[in-house]
Amino acid sequence: GSPADDAPPTAPPTSATRATAPPAAGAAPDLVTLDPDDLFSWARHGKYREIEDAMNQSDWTLPIDYQDELGNTLLQIAVQNGNKRITKLCLRRGAEINKQNLGGQTVMHYAFSYGFDELAEYLQSKGADDSLRNADGLTCYEGLSMDDVQGI
């Protein structure tokens, strides 16, 4: 016979023979191998489409308020960079508007300190609290650190 006749019969793939098994319970999701650092980088560089596309993936599981090593959320990174479109995307996805990072900074601290007054007004209209104090005891009107206050 032909060489094909000598090959063992092949069965259709089953859940037991598929190359990829579902992740074990409690395992970190693959999320198309997206590193949260990539997401934060996209926010810093205004890459709205990449962020929205990632969020629209069926296996998207990263919490909207995931915090980086400084305690910043995607919303805080968007505000630090004055990006209203990404800010709105985060809020539509349920980001906590008054979340504080490790230094106690809020989106309002960043908006005012970096001169994004119009963005600060928008955030206030969406419920941002301008009375929250950071680790130095400063409100968003006073700055990010005591150095800012002493420079006034």
Side-chain angles (χ1 to χ4, degrees):
S2 70
D5 293 337
D6 299 328
T10 57
T14 65
S15 60
T17 60
R18 281 194 195 109
T20 56
D30 183 1
L31 192 62
V32 199
T33 67
L34 175 69
D35 182 333
D37 290 342
D38 291 339
L39 191 67
F40 284 79
S41 177
W42 292 339
R44 284 184 191 90
H45 294 98
K47 296 186 180 287
Y48 177 90
R49 176 67 56 219
E50 287 85 342
I51 295 169
E52 186 180 49
D53 287 350
M55 288 180 170
N56 287 336
Q57 294 299 310
S58 61
D59 58 352
W60 175 262
T61 58
L62 192 71
I64 190 65
D65 288 320
Y66 173 87
Q67 292 174 285
D68 68 10
E69 67 280 356
L70 299 175
N72 289 311
T73 63
L74 189 61
L75 174 61
Q76 288 169 323
I77 298 290
V79 172
Q80 287 170 18
N81 290 279
N83 193 310
K84 187 173 182 181
R85 194 167 180 221
I86 295 174
T87 295
K88 290 171 99 171
L89 175 65
C90 292
L91 292 175
R92 281 196 308 272
R93 298 287 178 142
E96 186 183 327
I97 199 164
N98 291 311
K99 186 113 177 139
Q100 291 176 283
N101 69 9
L102 298 180
Q105 314 298 359
T106 66
V107 291
M108 294 297 286
H109 283 89
Y110 288 121
F112 279 121
S113 293
Y114 295 155
F116 303 125
D117 295 359
E118 187 178 307
L119 186 55
E121 289 172 24
Y122 169 76
L123 290 164
Q124 270 189 297
S125 78
K126 295 298 178 185
D129 184 347
D130 65 351
S131 70
L132 294 174
R133 294 182 179 273
N134 65 16
D136 281 347
L138 305 175
T139 68
C140 60
Y141 302 111
E142 296 168 310
L144 296 173
S145 70
M146 287 307 292
D147 293 340
D148 293 342
V149 172
Q150 290 160 356
I152 294 174

